[in-house]
PDB file of all heavy atoms in Angstrom:
ATOM      1  N   VAL B 179      95.543 111.060 115.174  1.00  0.00           N
ATOM      2  CA  VAL B 179      94.370 111.548 114.509  1.00  0.00           C
ATOM      3  C   VAL B 179      93.869 112.758 115.231  1.00  0.00           C
ATOM      4  O   VAL B 179      94.172 112.955 116.411  1.00  0.00           O
ATOM      5  CB  VAL B 179      93.207 110.480 114.435  1.00  0.00           C
ATOM      6  CG1 VAL B 179      92.145 110.889 113.518  1.00  0.00           C
ATOM      7  CG2 VAL B 179      93.758 109.134 114.052  1.00  0.00           C
ATOM      8  N   ASN B 180      93.194 113.688 114.550  1.00  0.00           N
ATOM      9  CA  ASN B 180      92.598 114.824 115.210  1.00  0.00           C
ATOM     10  C   ASN B 180      91.061 114.666 115.155  1.00  0.00           C
ATOM     11  O   ASN B 180      90.451 114.521 114.144  1.00  0.00           O
ATOM     12  CB  ASN B 180      92.909 116.151 114.607  1.00  0.00           C
ATOM     13  CG  ASN B 180      92.470 116.308 113.152  1.00  0.00           C
ATOM     14  OD1 ASN B 180      92.477 115.392 112.385  1.00  0.00           O
ATOM     15  ND2 ASN B 180      91.966 117.521 112.882  1.00  0.00           N
ATOM     16  N   GLY B 181      90.521 114.601 116.419  1.00  0.00           N
ATOM     17  CA  GLY B 181      89.090 114.356 116.518  1.00  0.00           C
ATOM     18  C   GLY B 181      88.803 112.937 117.008  1.00  0.00           C
ATOM     19  O   GLY B 181      89.272 111.979 116.367  1.00  0.00           O
ATOM     20  N   ALA B 182      87.951 112.798 118.000  1.00  0.00           N
ATOM     21  CA  ALA B 182      87.637 111.487 118.565  1.00  0.00           C
ATOM     22  C   ALA B 182      86.883 110.649 117.602  1.00  0.00           C
ATOM     23  O   ALA B 182      87.168 109.428 117.481  1.00  0.00           O
ATOM     24  CB  ALA B 182      86.855 111.663 119.885  1.00  0.00           C
ATOM     25  N   GLY B 183      85.934 111.161 116.849  1.00  0.00           N
ATOM     26  CA  GLY B 183      85.208 110.404 115.872  1.00  0.00           C
ATOM     27  C   GLY B 183      86.094 109.874 114.764  1.00  0.00           C
ATOM     28  O   GLY B 183      85.942 108.693 114.400  1.00  0.00           O
ATOM     29  N   LEU B 184      86.932 110.744 114.225  1.00  0.00           N
ATOM     30  CA  LEU B 184      87.857 110.308 113.198  1.00  0.00           C
ATOM     31  C   LEU B 184      88.832 109.252 113.748  1.00  0.00           C
ATOM     32  O   LEU B 184      89.169 108.325 113.028  1.00  0.00           O
ATOM     33  CB  LEU B 184      88.602 111.483 112.632  1.00  0.00           C
ATOM     34  CG  LEU B 184      89.480 111.200 111.394  1.00  0.00           C
ATOM     35  CD1 LEU B 184      88.710 110.659 110.250  1.00  0.00           C
ATOM     36  CD2 LEU B 184      90.176 112.500 110.965  1.00  0.00           C
ATOM     37  N   ALA B 185      89.198 109.385 115.063  1.00  0.00           N
ATOM     38  CA  ALA B 185      90.157 108.447 115.633  1.00  0.00           C
ATOM     39  C   ALA B 185      89.499 107.121 115.730  1.00  0.00           C
ATOM     40  O   ALA B 185      90.128 106.021 115.438  1.00  0.00           O
ATOM     41  CB  ALA B 185      90.556 108.935 116.996  1.00  0.00           C
ATOM     42  N   MET B 186      88.201 107.041 116.138  1.00  0.00           N
ATOM     43  CA  MET B 186      87.523 105.729 116.236  1.00  0.00           C
ATOM     44  C   MET B 186      87.337 105.149 114.830  1.00  0.00           C
ATOM     45  O   MET B 186      87.511 103.894 114.662  1.00  0.00           O
ATOM     46  CB  MET B 186      86.108 106.018 116.872  1.00  0.00           C
ATOM     47  CG  MET B 186      86.119 106.454 118.299  1.00  0.00           C
ATOM     48  SD  MET B 186      86.951 105.285 119.448  1.00  0.00           S
ATOM     49  CE  MET B 186      85.690 103.971 119.451  1.00  0.00           C
ATOM     50  N   ALA B 187      86.993 105.945 113.860  1.00  0.00           N
ATOM     51  CA  ALA B 187      86.839 105.462 112.496  1.00  0.00           C
ATOM     52  C   ALA B 187      88.191 104.927 111.953  1.00  0.00           C
ATOM     53  O   ALA B 187      88.198 103.909 111.252  1.00  0.00           O
ATOM     54  CB  ALA B 187      86.356 106.552 111.615  1.00  0.00           C
ATOM     55  N   THR B 188      89.278 105.564 112.318  1.00  0.00           N
ATOM     56  CA  THR B 188      90.585 105.120 111.864  1.00  0.00           C
ATOM     57  C   THR B 188      90.928 103.762 112.496  1.00  0.00           C
ATOM     58  O   THR B 188      91.466 102.868 111.807  1.00  0.00           O
ATOM     59  CB  THR B 188      91.649 106.153 112.285  1.00  0.00           C
ATOM     60  OG1 THR B 188      91.317 107.416 111.711  1.00  0.00           O
ATOM     61  CG2 THR B 188      93.040 105.711 111.830  1.00  0.00           C
ATOM     62  N   MET B 189      90.592 103.603 113.744  1.00  0.00           N
ATOM     63  CA  MET B 189      90.908 102.320 114.403  1.00  0.00           C
ATOM     64  C   MET B 189      90.037 101.227 113.762  1.00  0.00           C
ATOM     65  O   MET B 189      90.476 100.064 113.481  1.00  0.00           O
ATOM     66  CB  MET B 189      90.610 102.364 115.905  1.00  0.00           C
ATOM     67  CG  MET B 189      91.641 103.259 116.632  1.00  0.00           C
ATOM     68  SD  MET B 189      91.591 103.082 118.409  1.00  0.00           S
ATOM     69  CE  MET B 189      89.892 103.629 118.767  1.00  0.00           C
ATOM     70  N   ASP B 190      88.773 101.574 113.465  1.00  0.00           N
ATOM     71  CA  ASP B 190      87.886 100.566 112.828  1.00  0.00           C
ATOM     72  C   ASP B 190      88.378 100.144 111.431  1.00  0.00           C
ATOM     73  O   ASP B 190      88.399  98.877 111.126  1.00  0.00           O
ATOM     74  CB  ASP B 190      86.450 101.231 112.606  1.00  0.00           C
ATOM     75  CG  ASP B 190      85.669 101.263 113.947  1.00  0.00           C
ATOM     76  OD1 ASP B 190      86.100 100.555 114.850  1.00  0.00           O
ATOM     77  OD2 ASP B 190      84.689 101.985 114.005  1.00  0.00           O
ATOM     78  N   ILE B 191      88.922 101.106 110.718  1.00  0.00           N
ATOM     79  CA  ILE B 191      89.333 100.703 109.279  1.00  0.00           C
ATOM     80  C   ILE B 191      90.602  99.973 109.314  1.00  0.00           C
ATOM     81  O   ILE B 191      90.873  99.082 108.441  1.00  0.00           O
ATOM     82  CB  ILE B 191      89.414 101.962 108.416  1.00  0.00           C
ATOM     83  CG1 ILE B 191      89.277 101.540 106.969  1.00  0.00           C
ATOM     84  CG2 ILE B 191      90.615 102.768 108.643  1.00  0.00           C
ATOM     85  CD1 ILE B 191      88.940 102.682 105.986  1.00  0.00           C
ATOM     86  N   ILE B 192      91.474 100.185 110.377  1.00  0.00           N
ATOM     87  CA  ILE B 192      92.638  99.355 110.559  1.00  0.00           C
ATOM     88  C   ILE B 192      92.264  97.931 110.770  1.00  0.00           C
ATOM     89  O   ILE B 192      92.835  96.961 110.269  1.00  0.00           O
ATOM     90  CB  ILE B 192      93.581  99.988 111.669  1.00  0.00           C
ATOM     91  CG1 ILE B 192      94.227 101.189 111.228  1.00  0.00           C
ATOM     92  CG2 ILE B 192      94.638  98.898 112.096  1.00  0.00           C
ATOM     93  CD1 ILE B 192      94.978 101.980 112.297  1.00  0.00           C
ATOM     94  N   LYS B 193      91.312  97.753 111.706  1.00  0.00           N
ATOM     95  CA  LYS B 193      90.846  96.386 111.974  1.00  0.00           C
ATOM     96  C   LYS B 193      90.225  95.758 110.771  1.00  0.00           C
ATOM     97  O   LYS B 193      90.289  94.558 110.530  1.00  0.00           O
ATOM     98  CB  LYS B 193      89.830  96.421 113.152  1.00  0.00           C
ATOM     99  CG  LYS B 193      90.422  96.825 114.496  1.00  0.00           C
ATOM    100  CD  LYS B 193      89.422  96.948 115.552  1.00  0.00           C
ATOM    101  CE  LYS B 193      88.835  95.585 115.972  1.00  0.00           C
ATOM    102  NZ  LYS B 193      89.798  94.799 116.738  1.00  0.00           N
ATOM    103  N   HIS B 194      89.455  96.633 109.946  1.00  0.00           N
ATOM    104  CA  HIS B 194      88.857  96.091 108.745  1.00  0.00           C
ATOM    105  C   HIS B 194      89.837  95.498 107.792  1.00  0.00           C
ATOM    106  O   HIS B 194      89.573  94.433 107.167  1.00  0.00           O
ATOM    107  CB  HIS B 194      88.095  97.234 108.029  1.00  0.00           C
ATOM    108  CG  HIS B 194      87.559  96.864 106.690  1.00  0.00           C
ATOM    109  ND1 HIS B 194      86.408  96.096 106.558  1.00  0.00           N
ATOM    110  CD2 HIS B 194      87.905  97.135 105.476  1.00  0.00           C
ATOM    111  CE1 HIS B 194      86.172  95.841 105.296  1.00  0.00           C
ATOM    112  NE2 HIS B 194      87.054  96.504 104.574  1.00  0.00           N
ATOM    113  N   TYR B 195      91.076  96.063 107.771  1.00  0.00           N
ATOM    114  CA  TYR B 195      92.101  95.500 106.848  1.00  0.00           C
ATOM    115  C   TYR B 195      92.998  94.491 107.509  1.00  0.00           C
ATOM    116  O   TYR B 195      94.024  94.103 106.975  1.00  0.00           O
ATOM    117  CB  TYR B 195      92.968  96.646 106.257  1.00  0.00           C
ATOM    118  CG  TYR B 195      92.216  97.339 105.189  1.00  0.00           C
ATOM    119  CD1 TYR B 195      91.582  98.623 105.409  1.00  0.00           C
ATOM    120  CD2 TYR B 195      92.121  96.808 103.903  1.00  0.00           C
ATOM    121  CE1 TYR B 195      90.907  99.312 104.365  1.00  0.00           C
ATOM    122  CE2 TYR B 195      91.432  97.464 102.881  1.00  0.00           C
ATOM    123  CZ  TYR B 195      90.827  98.678 103.137  1.00  0.00           C
ATOM    124  OH  TYR B 195      90.117  99.329 102.081  1.00  0.00           O
ATOM    125  N   GLY B 196      92.560  93.990 108.716  1.00  0.00           N
ATOM    126  CA  GLY B 196      93.200  92.858 109.261  1.00  0.00           C
ATOM    127  C   GLY B 196      94.315  93.037 110.276  1.00  0.00           C
ATOM    128  O   GLY B 196      95.005  92.120 110.678  1.00  0.00           O
ATOM    129  N   ALA B 197      94.438  94.318 110.753  1.00  0.00           N
ATOM    130  CA  ALA B 197      95.463  94.586 111.785  1.00  0.00           C
ATOM    131  C   ALA B 197      94.745  95.153 113.061  1.00  0.00           C
ATOM    132  O   ALA B 197      93.564  95.303 113.101  1.00  0.00           O
ATOM    133  CB  ALA B 197      96.445  95.536 111.244  1.00  0.00           C
ATOM    134  N   GLU B 198      95.570  95.511 114.065  1.00  0.00           N
ATOM    135  CA  GLU B 198      95.022  95.971 115.317  1.00  0.00           C
ATOM    136  C   GLU B 198      95.721  97.344 115.656  1.00  0.00           C
ATOM    137  O   GLU B 198      96.923  97.419 115.598  1.00  0.00           O
ATOM    138  CB  GLU B 198      95.271  94.992 116.511  1.00  0.00           C
ATOM    139  CG  GLU B 198      94.514  93.665 116.312  1.00  0.00           C
ATOM    140  CD  GLU B 198      93.003  93.855 116.553  1.00  0.00           C
ATOM    141  OE1 GLU B 198      92.596  94.792 117.272  1.00  0.00           O
ATOM    142  OE2 GLU B 198      92.244  93.073 115.971  1.00  0.00           O
ATOM    143  N   PRO B 199      94.923  98.298 116.020  1.00  0.00           N
ATOM    144  CA  PRO B 199      95.491  99.588 116.467  1.00  0.00           C
ATOM    145  C   PRO B 199      96.263  99.485 117.764  1.00  0.00           C
ATOM    146  O   PRO B 199      95.869  98.702 118.661  1.00  0.00           O
ATOM    147  CB  PRO B 199      94.371 100.478 116.587  1.00  0.00           C
ATOM    148  CG  PRO B 199      93.172  99.568 116.914  1.00  0.00           C
ATOM    149  CD  PRO B 199      93.422  98.325 116.145  1.00  0.00           C
ATOM    150  N   ALA B 200      97.345 100.182 117.917  1.00  0.00           N
ATOM    151  CA  ALA B 200      98.223 100.189 119.121  1.00  0.00           C
ATOM    152  C   ALA B 200      97.754 101.211 120.144  1.00  0.00           C
ATOM    153  O   ALA B 200      98.216 101.121 121.289  1.00  0.00           O
ATOM    154  CB  ALA B 200      99.638 100.407 118.769  1.00  0.00           C
ATOM    155  N   ASN B 201      96.858 102.085 119.694  1.00  0.00           N
ATOM    156  CA  ASN B 201      96.408 103.160 120.625  1.00  0.00           C
ATOM    157  C   ASN B 201      95.258 103.894 120.053  1.00  0.00           C
ATOM    158  O   ASN B 201      94.949 103.844 118.862  1.00  0.00           O
ATOM    159  CB  ASN B 201      97.636 104.130 120.830  1.00  0.00           C
ATOM    160  CG  ASN B 201      97.973 104.815 119.538  1.00  0.00           C
ATOM    161  OD1 ASN B 201      98.807 104.278 118.761  1.00  0.00           O
ATOM    162  ND2 ASN B 201      97.381 105.957 119.229  1.00  0.00           N
ATOM    163  N   PHE B 202      94.634 104.632 120.941  1.00  0.00           N
ATOM    164  CA  PHE B 202      93.711 105.754 120.545  1.00  0.00           C
ATOM    165  C   PHE B 202      94.465 106.991 120.855  1.00  0.00           C
ATOM    166  O   PHE B 202      95.037 107.178 121.939  1.00  0.00           O
ATOM    167  CB  PHE B 202      92.448 105.700 121.417  1.00  0.00           C
ATOM    168  CG  PHE B 202      91.543 106.874 121.250  1.00  0.00           C
ATOM    169  CD1 PHE B 202      90.537 106.861 120.378  1.00  0.00           C
ATOM    170  CD2 PHE B 202      91.773 107.999 122.050  1.00  0.00           C
ATOM    171  CE1 PHE B 202      89.644 107.991 120.181  1.00  0.00           C
ATOM    172  CE2 PHE B 202      90.969 109.154 121.951  1.00  0.00           C
ATOM    173  CZ  PHE B 202      89.882 109.106 121.028  1.00  0.00           C
ATOM    174  N   LEU B 203      94.651 107.865 119.892  1.00  0.00           N
ATOM    175  CA  LEU B 203      95.329 109.189 120.055  1.00  0.00           C
ATOM    176  C   LEU B 203      94.626 110.312 119.301  1.00  0.00           C
ATOM    177  O   LEU B 203      94.674 110.307 118.094  1.00  0.00           O
ATOM    178  CB  LEU B 203      96.808 109.067 119.722  1.00  0.00           C
ATOM    179  CG  LEU B 203      97.581 110.373 119.790  1.00  0.00           C
ATOM    180  CD1 LEU B 203      97.467 110.994 121.094  1.00  0.00           C
ATOM    181  CD2 LEU B 203      99.008 110.130 119.461  1.00  0.00           C
ATOM    182  N   ASP B 204      94.054 111.154 120.028  1.00  0.00           N
ATOM    183  CA  ASP B 204      93.391 112.346 119.454  1.00  0.00           C
ATOM    184  C   ASP B 204      94.202 113.579 119.929  1.00  0.00           C
ATOM    185  O   ASP B 204      94.274 113.871 121.051  1.00  0.00           O
ATOM    186  CB  ASP B 204      91.934 112.451 120.035  1.00  0.00           C
ATOM    187  CG  ASP B 204      91.249 113.798 119.664  1.00  0.00           C
ATOM    188  OD1 ASP B 204      91.775 114.516 118.744  1.00  0.00           O
ATOM    189  OD2 ASP B 204      90.240 114.081 120.315  1.00  0.00           O
ATOM    190  N   VAL B 205      94.870 114.257 118.946  1.00  0.00           N
ATOM    191  CA  VAL B 205      95.720 115.365 119.285  1.00  0.00           C
ATOM    192  C   VAL B 205      94.815 116.654 119.524  1.00  0.00           C
ATOM    193  O   VAL B 205      95.376 117.679 119.958  1.00  0.00           O
ATOM    194  CB  VAL B 205      96.715 115.648 118.149  1.00  0.00           C
ATOM    195  CG1 VAL B 205      97.698 114.492 117.981  1.00  0.00           C
ATOM    196  CG2 VAL B 205      95.971 115.960 116.816  1.00  0.00           C
ATOM    197  N   GLY B 206      93.541 116.555 119.213  1.00  0.00           N
ATOM    198  CA  GLY B 206      92.700 117.689 119.505  1.00  0.00           C
ATOM    199  C   GLY B 206      92.515 118.655 118.376  1.00  0.00           C
ATOM    200  O   GLY B 206      93.341 118.639 117.410  1.00  0.00           O
ATOM    201  N   GLY B 207      91.496 119.437 118.421  1.00  0.00           N
ATOM    202  CA  GLY B 207      91.161 120.408 117.333  1.00  0.00           C
ATOM    203  C   GLY B 207      92.062 121.616 117.278  1.00  0.00           C
ATOM    204  O   GLY B 207      92.070 122.378 116.348  1.00  0.00           O
ATOM    205  N   ASP B 208      92.739 121.890 118.423  1.00  0.00           N
ATOM    206  CA  ASP B 208      93.572 123.073 118.447  1.00  0.00           C
ATOM    207  C   ASP B 208      95.030 122.778 118.740  1.00  0.00           C
ATOM    208  O   ASP B 208      95.773 123.525 119.412  1.00  0.00           O
ATOM    209  CB  ASP B 208      93.057 124.048 119.519  1.00  0.00           C
ATOM    210  CG  ASP B 208      92.992 123.464 120.881  1.00  0.00           C
ATOM    211  OD1 ASP B 208      93.121 122.202 121.034  1.00  0.00           O
ATOM    212  OD2 ASP B 208      92.841 124.178 121.892  1.00  0.00           O
TER     213      ASP B 208
END
């Protein structure tokens, strides 16, 4: 994901659908 906020939201929505994220990965804005 790009952006820490979007990365956190992405992990949350994966958990919402019943799975678990394998990582936090923010590639950065640039």
Side-chain angles (χ1 to χ4, degrees):
V179 191
N180 67 317
L184 186 59
M186 295 297 291
T188 301
M189 293 193 297
D190 284 344
I191 203 164
I192 286 172
K193 291 176 71 72
H194 174 74
Y195 281 103
E198 294 290 333
N201 62 274
F202 170 95
L203 174 54
D204 171 15
V205 297
D208 59 347

